[in-house]
Amino acid sequence: EAGVAQSPRYKIIEKRQSVAFWCNPISGHATLYWYQQILGQGPKLLIQFQNNGVVDDSQLPKDRFSAERLKGVDSTLKIQPAKLEDSAVYLCASSLKRDNSYEQYFGPGTRLTVT
Amino acid sequence: AQSVAQPEDQVNVAEGNPLTVKCTYSVSGNPYLFWYVQYPNRGLQFLLKYITGDNLVKGSYGFEAEFNKSQTSFHLKKPSALVSDSALYFCAVRDNGQAGTALIFGKGTTLSVSS
């Protein structure tokens, strides 16, 4: 079974520029998550989708971050404009169902450096 | 609010010796607890989970974890460490208070196994 795919793997941009990340979850997984992992910390949820609907975006900085999952499969996360503090690894995860007992499967992440 | 604490930034152990990586949690209801491992430049890999039932949970690569409700702990253990176990380990709890089912992670513990 193919895992969660993410691209690009690395991205370097200057502050105030925009950037987009792409995620393709495991086939058949209805729930998709975007996490932000700052160096030295554990991942923190940015947004959760159930199919193409948003379940939880309470920690998403909506003035600069946006995400979509239009067809309930692939998802994109965008930052515009980027700030220095956005430097982090952005992890996409998916799970078969929204049920609490289902584990999440993580992609390799996109490492963003904002200069 | 839900939270997870990993009190040790780093754990050092010699190959062949038993290892323990500590985790304590705080939740309002019944906890759903997970352990993930992260190797350099790779995403998080699921090791094991506790949902309900037997307090001793067995997972991948010979790891196990013991759920202790009275001490609100979920320590990760392995009887005999391998050099290849060296990695970053995250404990996580499921947020079951709201609509979302995202994981809340500890800050991580680096395990270093020496030969």
Side-chain angles (χ1 to χ4, degrees), chain A:
Chain A
E1 162 179 272
V4 177
Q6 290 187 248
S7 67
R9 291 294 310 276
Y10 305 92
K11 189 74 176 179
I12 301 174
I13 62 172
E14 295 181 352
K15 59 183 179 183
R16 291 187 289 274
Q17 286 186 326
S18 63
V19 64
F21 313 128
W22 174 81
C23 172
N24 184 260
I26 293 173
S27 178
H29 281 198
T31 311
L32 185 146
Y33 308 80
W34 283 102
Y35 289 86
Q36 180 192 58
Q37 185 178 13
I38 294 173
L39 186 64
Q41 300 180 20
K44 184 186 77 172
L45 178 74
L46 290 173
I47 189 167
Q48 177 186 349
F49 292 94
Q50 179 68 18
N51 296 309
N52 61 350
V54 175
V55 174
D56 183 358
D57 64 356
S58 59
Q59 298 184 80
L60 186 73
K62 298 180 185 63
D63 58 333
R64 298 185 299 106
F65 286 65
S66 64
E68 61 183 13
R69 193 184 185 200
L70 292 176
K71 297 183 179 179
V73 181
D74 294 9
S75 177
T76 56
L77 176 69
K78 297 179 181 178
I79 307 175
Q80 182 179 7
K83 293 184 175 181
L84 296 177
E85 59 260 37
D86 297 332
S87 294
V89 176
Y90 291 85
L91 295 166
C92 179
S94 69
S95 64
L96 184 62
K97 295 183 180 180
R98 189 171 146 183
D99 188 272
N100 278 326
S101 65
Y102 284 84
E103 60 266 30
Q104 297 175 21
Y105 296 86
F106 285 80
T110 297
R111 183 177 298 276
L112 173 67
T113 301
V114 182
T115 62

Side-chain angles (χ1 to χ4, degrees), chain B residues 25 31 33 50 54-57 65-69 73-75:
Chain B
Y25 65 90
L33 296 156
Y50 172 82
D54 194 348
N55 289 344
L56 185 63
V57 178
E66 186 170 9
F67 171 66
N68 188 317
K69 187 173 183 178
S73 66
F74 189 56
H75 301 331

Side-chain angles (χ1 to χ4, degrees), chain B residues 6-96:
Chain B
Q6 293 182 245
E8 303 155 316
D9 290 336
Q10 180 150 346
V11 170
N12 299 309
V13 64
E15 188 175 31
N17 284 357
L19 68 88
T20 299
V21 183
K22 296 180 180 178
C23 171
T24 58
Y25 65 90
S26 175
V27 298
S28 55
N30 292 322
Y32 296 90
L33 296 156
F34 301 79
W35 275 101
Y36 283 82
V37 59
Q38 187 174 37
Y39 296 98
N41 299 315
R42 296 177 66 178
L44 280 74
Q45 296 179 35
F46 169 76
L47 279 179
L48 51 80
K49 65 182 177 183
Y50 172 82
I51 303 299
T52 186
D54 194 348
N55 289 344
L56 185 63
V57 178
K58 295 188 182 299
S60 306
Y61 313 119
F63 284 94
E64 58 189 27
E66 186 170 9
F67 171 66
N68 188 317
K69 187 173 183 178
S70 62
Q71 296 185 10
T72 61
S73 66
F74 189 56
H75 301 331
L76 182 70
K77 300 180 180 182
K78 188 173 183 181
S80 178
L82 300 173
V83 172
S84 57
D85 293 331
S86 298
L88 182 58
Y89 290 80
F90 289 98
C91 182
V93 66
R94 184 83 81 178
D95 181 353
N96 60 5

